[in-house]
């Protein structure tokens, strides 16, 4: 008999094993990569089951359902990451309830998040989303504009710029290429920022491509399907 909680903890165990193997293969310490469980569309009970199995970091794309889960799981020592598109009228709730935002690609949104971050909370951790594969339809700042935007964001008092995030198009011939490009862009931006930049985060890699992302330096992988099963 299969039971959903046992299935989830088995899948989580398999993902942790694969993540550890990818780190070993890349010659990296296993604790150099944080596993974010992407819980969008999943009920609070699924988050609770993953938390009971030791999962701490969760990623959400849709504000309303995220707020319900954050509230339902209050009291658990969880770290919440916002990873979806951001509309201006949502910034206050995002700044109030999340620990990280990975999908900042405009200065206007960054300014609002900074000014709306509650004063009794530490600065909001930010990753700049970069359109590393260059499709017109995707969100993310163009690579050529990322350094200027990073410079502006690094000065905002309510935010702490941590690094870059990307959702590259799958590239079957050279799966590591977009991840390497993001790593190189981050190194270039860090040099430009000098002492004001302590960029320690590369948010890249999902269920289908996280080993390649880890080989190229990912420090946070964002994994939904491989942990929770297929989305409806
Ligand atoms: C949904 C989503 C993921 C997780 O995708 P899976 O393929 O289910 O692992 C990661 N990052 C972002 C930004 C997402 O929207």
């Amino acid at each position: 008999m299969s039971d959903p909680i046992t299935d989830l903890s088995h899948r989580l165990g398999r993902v942790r094993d694969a993540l550890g193997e990818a780190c070993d293969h890349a010659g990296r310490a296993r604790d150099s990569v944080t596993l974010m469980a992407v819980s969008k569309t999943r009920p609070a009970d699924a988050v609770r089951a993953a938390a009971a199995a030791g999962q701490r970091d969760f990623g959400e794309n849709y504000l309303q359902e995220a707020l319900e889960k954050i509230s339902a799981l209050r009291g658990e020592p969880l770290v919440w990451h916002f990873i979806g598109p951001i509309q201006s009228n949502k910034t206050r709730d995002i700044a109030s309830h999340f620990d990280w935002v990975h999908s900042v690609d405009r200065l206007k949104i960054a300014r609002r998040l900074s000014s709306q971050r509650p004063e009794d909370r530490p600065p909001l951790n930010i990753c700049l989303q970069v359109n590393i594969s260059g499709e017109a339809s995707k969100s993310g700042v163009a690579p050529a504009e990322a350094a200027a935007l990073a410079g502006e964001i690094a000065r905002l008092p309510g935010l702490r710029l941590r690094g870059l995030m990307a959702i590259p198009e799958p590239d079957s011939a050279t799966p590591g290429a977009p991840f390497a490009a993001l790593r190189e862009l981050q190194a270039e931006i860090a040099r430009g920022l000098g002492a004001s930049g302590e960029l320690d985060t590369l948010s890249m890699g999902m269920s289908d491509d996280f080993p390649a992302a880890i080989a190229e330096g990912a420090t946070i992988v964002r994994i939904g399907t491989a942990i929770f099963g297929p989305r409806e």
Side-chain angles (χ1 to χ4, degrees):
M1 278 288 289
S2 99
D3 132 67
I5 295 190
T6 313
D7 289 351
L8 192 146
S9 81
H10 283 162
R11 279 193 299 262
L12 188 55
R14 279 201 297 271
V15 169
R16 286 185 183 134
D17 289 347
L19 193 153
E21 280 165 26
C23 287
D24 294 349
H25 197 255
R28 300 180 53 193
R30 289 184 169 213
D31 65 5
S32 66
V33 181
T34 298
L35 173 59
M36 179 206 299
V38 177
S39 45
K40 65 180 173 208
T41 78
R42 319 291 179 171
D45 281 348
V47 175
R48 196 171 284 112
Q55 179 61 31
R56 286 291 164 263
D57 289 80
F58 291 89
E60 291 281 344
N61 296 56
Y62 309 110
L63 182 62
Q64 208 48 51
E65 60 157 300
L67 293 178
E68 286 165 23
K69 284 177 251 185
I70 292 171
S71 167
L73 288 144
R74 216 180 13 240
E76 302 258 3
L78 305 182
V79 179
W80 291 98
H81 303 251
F82 193 82
I83 61 174
I86 307 173
Q87 294 157 294
S88 296
N89 62 352
K90 303 286 167 64
T91 52
R92 185 174 299 280
D93 276 332
I94 293 172
S96 302
H97 296 285
F98 283 82
D99 303 290
W100 285 74
V101 181
H102 295 237
S103 42
V104 172
D105 61 3
R106 286 183 290 155
L107 183 57
K108 178 187 169 191
I109 294 293
R111 284 195 174 124
R112 291 176 66 94
L113 291 170
S114 176
S115 65
Q116 294 169 342
R117 180 67 168 170
E119 280 179 7
D120 61 348
R121 301 205 61 189
L124 184 60
N125 295 294
I126 298 291
C127 290
L128 197 51
Q129 184 175 350
V130 179
N131 185 357
I132 202 73
S133 307
E135 282 87 38
S137 61
K138 281 258 185 71
S139 32
V141 64
E145 289 155 23
L149 183 54
E152 300 272 9
I153 291 176
R155 284 201 289 271
L156 295 174
L159 307 184
R160 179 170 171 211
L161 182 64
R162 299 294 296 268
L164 304 183
M165 179 275 228
I167 313 171
E169 281 294 293
D171 179 345
S172 50
T174 49
F179 300 125
L182 195 71
R183 186 194 62 230
E184 285 159 17
L185 180 62
Q186 166 127 301
E188 187 186 315
I189 291 173
R191 280 194 297 275
L193 288 175
S196 62
E198 291 175 18
L199 305 186
D200 59 5
T201 301
L202 278 171
S203 169
M204 57 188 196
M206 316 198 335
S207 292
D208 288 336
D209 57 12
F210 70 89
I214 288 173
E216 297 297 345
T219 66
I220 300 182
V221 292
R222 309 179 310 266
I223 300 188
T225 310
I227 294 175
F228 294 106
R231 278 184 295 276
E232 311 238 308

